[in-house]
Amino acid sequence: MPSAAAAAVQHQLPGGSQQPVAAAAPQSATADPEKRRLIQQQLVLLLHAHKCQRREQGVPTPGGNPGQPAAQSTCVLPHCQTMKNVLKHMSECHKGKACKGEF
Protein backbone atom coordinates (compact mmCIF):
# COMPACT_ATOMS: atom_id res chain seq x y z
CA MET A 1 0.00 0.00 0.00
CA PRO A 2 1.54 3.37 -0.96
CA SER A 3 2.17 5.95 1.75
CA ALA A 4 0.04 9.06 1.95
CA ALA A 5 3.02 11.14 0.84
CA ALA A 6 3.54 8.94 -2.21
CA ALA A 7 -0.12 8.99 -3.23
CA ALA A 8 -0.95 11.16 -6.24
CA VAL A 9 -2.67 14.42 -5.44
CA GLN A 10 -6.10 14.53 -7.06
CA HIS A 11 -8.06 17.56 -8.23
CA GLN A 12 -11.85 17.30 -8.27
CA LEU A 13 -13.31 18.38 -11.60
CA PRO A 14 -16.93 19.36 -12.28
CA GLY A 15 -18.94 16.22 -12.90
CA GLY A 16 -17.11 14.19 -10.27
CA SER A 17 -14.07 13.15 -12.33
CA GLN A 18 -10.60 13.54 -10.87
CA GLN A 19 -7.39 14.75 -12.46
CA PRO A 20 -3.90 14.22 -11.00
CA VAL A 21 -2.19 17.46 -9.99
CA ALA A 22 1.58 17.84 -9.93
CA ALA A 23 3.14 18.38 -6.52
CA ALA A 24 4.10 21.96 -5.73
CA ALA A 25 7.57 21.08 -4.44
CA PRO A 26 10.35 20.53 -6.98
CA GLN A 27 11.78 17.01 -7.18
CA SER A 28 15.09 18.08 -5.57
CA ALA A 29 13.27 19.31 -2.44
CA THR A 30 11.88 15.85 -1.72
CA ALA A 31 14.87 13.81 -2.89
CA ASP A 32 16.63 14.21 0.47
CA PRO A 33 14.92 11.78 2.91
CA GLU A 34 15.71 13.94 5.96
CA LYS A 35 14.26 17.06 4.35
CA ARG A 36 11.19 15.07 3.28
CA ARG A 37 10.73 13.76 6.84
CA LEU A 38 10.95 17.28 8.30
CA ILE A 39 8.42 18.62 5.80
CA GLN A 40 6.04 15.75 6.63
CA GLN A 41 6.41 16.46 10.36
CA GLN A 42 5.57 20.13 9.83
CA LEU A 43 2.52 19.24 7.74
CA VAL A 44 1.28 16.78 10.37
CA LEU A 45 1.73 19.43 13.06
CA LEU A 46 -0.07 22.01 10.92
CA LEU A 47 -2.98 19.59 10.43
CA HIS A 48 -3.09 18.90 14.18
CA ALA A 49 -3.13 22.63 14.93
CA HIS A 50 -6.00 23.16 12.50
CA LYS A 51 -8.05 20.37 14.09
CA CYS A 52 -7.11 21.52 17.59
CA GLN A 53 -8.10 25.11 16.77
CA ARG A 54 -11.49 23.98 15.41
CA ARG A 55 -12.02 21.75 18.47
CA GLU A 56 -11.36 24.73 20.76
CA GLN A 57 -13.92 26.76 18.80
CA GLY A 58 -16.52 24.00 19.16
CA VAL A 59 -16.76 23.37 15.40
CA PRO A 60 -18.09 19.90 14.46
CA THR A 61 -15.41 17.59 13.07
CA PRO A 62 -15.79 15.43 9.95
CA GLY A 63 -16.96 11.91 10.72
CA GLY A 64 -19.88 12.91 12.91
CA ASN A 65 -18.04 13.85 16.09
CA PRO A 66 -19.50 17.12 17.34
CA GLY A 67 -16.97 19.74 18.31
CA GLN A 68 -16.62 20.34 22.01
CA PRO A 69 -15.03 23.41 23.54
CA ALA A 70 -11.74 22.26 25.02
CA ALA A 71 -11.66 21.69 28.76
CA GLN A 72 -8.15 23.15 28.88
CA SER A 73 -7.40 26.45 27.21
CA THR A 74 -4.12 25.43 25.55
CA CYS A 75 -2.88 22.28 23.86
CA VAL A 76 0.11 20.58 25.47
CA LEU A 77 1.55 19.34 22.17
CA PRO A 78 4.87 21.11 21.54
CA HIS A 79 4.64 23.82 18.85
CA CYS A 80 0.85 23.50 18.48
CA GLN A 81 0.33 27.13 19.50
CA THR A 82 3.04 28.23 17.06
CA MET A 83 1.25 26.48 14.21
CA LYS A 84 -2.08 27.98 15.33
CA ASN A 85 -0.39 31.39 15.02
CA VAL A 86 0.81 30.44 11.52
CA LEU A 87 -2.74 29.42 10.53
CA LYS A 88 -4.15 32.68 11.87
CA HIS A 89 -1.51 34.68 10.01
CA MET A 90 -2.19 32.80 6.77
CA SER A 91 -5.88 33.66 6.94
CA GLU A 92 -5.30 37.34 7.78
CA CYS A 93 -2.16 38.38 5.85
CA HIS A 94 -2.69 40.03 2.47
CA LYS A 95 0.93 40.96 1.69
CA GLY A 96 1.59 37.97 -0.58
CA LYS A 97 5.26 37.65 -1.56
CA ALA A 98 6.06 40.86 0.33
CA CYS A 99 5.17 39.17 3.64
CA LYS A 100 8.08 38.84 6.03
CA GLY A 101 6.26 36.24 8.17
CA GLU A 102 6.19 38.47 11.24
CA PHE A 103 3.44 37.15 13.44
Side-chain angles (χ1 to χ4, degrees), residues 22-45:
Q27 183 65 18
S28 61
T30 56
D32 179 13
E34 180 64 16
K35 192 171 196 177
R36 182 183 183 102
R37 185 184 67 77
L38 290 172
I39 291 169
Q40 285 178 330
Q41 282 181 337
Q42 289 178 333
L43 290 173
V44 167
L45 184 55

Side-chain angles (χ1 to χ4, degrees), residues 4-89:
V9 177
Q10 298 288 316
H11 178 68
Q12 190 74 25
L13 296 174
S17 63
Q18 292 186 347
Q19 170 185 358
V21 177
Q27 183 65 18
S28 61
T30 56
D32 179 13
E34 180 64 16
K35 192 171 196 177
R36 182 183 183 102
R37 185 184 67 77
L38 290 172
I39 291 169
Q40 285 178 330
Q41 282 181 337
Q42 289 178 333
L43 290 173
V44 167
L45 184 55
L46 195 60
L47 181 60
H48 164 85
H50 174 70
K51 289 180 179 180
C52 189
Q53 190 175 50
R54 291 179 60 88
R55 199 177 309 121
E56 287 175 353
Q57 295 168 350
V59 177
T61 58
N65 296 332
Q68 302 268 335
Q72 63 188 53
S73 60
T74 58
C75 181
V76 296
L77 187 72
H79 306 292
C80 179
Q81 186 59 51
T82 301
M83 287 302 190
K84 287 178 189 175
N85 293 342
V86 170
L87 288 168
K88 182 177 185 233
H89 177 81

